[in-house]
Amino acid sequence: MILLALAAAMLGIGGWALVRSPWETQEGLAEHQPVPFSHKHHVGDSGIDCRYCHTSVETSARAGLPATHICMTCHSQLWTGAEVLAPVRQSMATGRPLVWHRVAQVPDYVYFNHSIHVARGVGCVECHGRIDKMPLTWRAKPFQMQFCLDCHLDPAPHLRPPQLVTQMEPLRWSEAEKRSYGERVMAAHRIDPKTLTNCEMCHR
Ligand code: HEC
Ligand code: HEC
Ligand code: HEC
Ligand code: HEC
Ligand code: HEC
């Protein structure tokens, strides 16, 4: 608790903080945000599903960041006078969107699409880590080419039933169960690691 308060105070003063280093890959870099939004509170403690806020993750390339009215579905009733939420109320009143600083991005020359990954059952946790434990959001994985290729070369053990994609806790499956489930999905959808690692797949 004290550590958390300290970290929050440092953020307030410094504007940004290195939560965990690897500077180069921006892994662990928590950006200063207009509101100190906590996935730990909203997902970990309150159990809100990712798709409540990231509404387009199943249907489009982008997951999308929540519009202010989504926050207000709860915060017009909850914590209504809280100072930390003043920017949210202001945004609602003026119609000016909150500007969130992005932490998880790939360069423009890389093509990425959420919907296909979600449809095949790649869990959010594979690429974004334990978001449900983050008091402030940081990039959990390096989005370097090798990270993508490691999975594209052998996706089977990384696949799960699509209805479990937003579950953060690890599945209680043995390695053998994971692989045999994944191999069935690969066969059903004719997923071929050879085409998945073609340069044109991600550089279009
Ligand atoms: C489905 C309900 C719900 C939605 C939607 C929601 N919140 Fe919350 N929020 C809560 C609850 C419940 C708490 C109290 C959490 C606690 O005390 O542990 C909270 C607390 C907060 C706090 C106080 C600090 C903290 O994390 O405890 C902030 C800041 C906040 N929310 C920001 C937002 C923003 C920004 C959005 C929109 C992107 C949002 N909330 C959307 C339910 C919601
Ligand atoms: C109550 C709304 C809410 C819920 C539920 C929620 N998020 Fe978020 N998410 C946000 C907001 C607001 C931001 C922007 C601020 C930030 O980065 O913390 C964000 C940012 C992110 C980012 C960083 C994007 C970027 O490039 O900056 C990722 C990744 C993410 N969320 C994943 C998830 C996952 C995975 C879940 C479910 C386990 C989830 N979120 C649940 C509101 C939510
Ligand atoms: C296979 C890896 C992978 C999976 C699985 C994945 N993401 Fe992402 N996510 C990314 C990448 C890469 C980006 C950066 C995209 C960009 O810069 O265009 C990203 C960006 C985001 C963002 C920032 C906003 C946006 O639309 O770009 C949010 C929010 C997010 N992801 C949420 C989720 C949620 C929720 C899930 C699970 C339902 C999920 N992601 C599953 C790799 C993944
Ligand atoms: C944990 C496993 C995993 C990771 C990590 C991963 N992918 Fe994928 N990716 C898949 C699977 C599975 C498919 C679906 C193949 C299919 O159904 O044809 C896929 C498909 C794709 C496609 C094809 C989309 C389409 O419309 O045909 C692109 C592009 C892609 N991934 C880009 C990326 C990029 C860029 C990264 C890294 C930022 C990445 N992926 C990381 C598993 C992964
Ligand atoms: C599964 C997705 C994926 C595939 C397939 C892929 N790349 Fe990439 N590539 C990426 C990502 C993600 C980056 C961004 C790396 C970063 O930001 O550090 C990247 C970056 C690059 C770069 C920029 C320099 C660098 O290494 O950072 C070059 C050049 C490149 N790729 C060439 C290729 C070639 C050639 C192939 C085919 C042999 C290929 N890529 C296949 C995802 C992919």
Side-chain angles (χ1 to χ4, degrees), residues 35-38 41-42 45-46 48 52-53 66-68 70-75 78-79 82 84-85 88 98 100 135:
V35 179
F37 179 80
S38 166
H41 283 157
H42 291 85
D45 303 341
S46 301
I48 310 171
Y52 189 89
C53 293
T68 304
I70 294 182
C71 312
M72 288 308 267
T73 55
C74 294
H75 291 296
L78 259 176
W79 285 52
V84 279
L85 284 164
V88 178
L98 292 162
W100 300 108

Side-chain angles (χ1 to χ4, degrees), residues 172-185:
R172 297 198 184 155
W173 287 6
S174 70
E175 290 308 310
E177 283 168 323
K178 282 188 197 161
R179 183 164 287 282
S180 82
Y181 173 81
E183 272 165 5
R184 271 184 285 138
V185 175

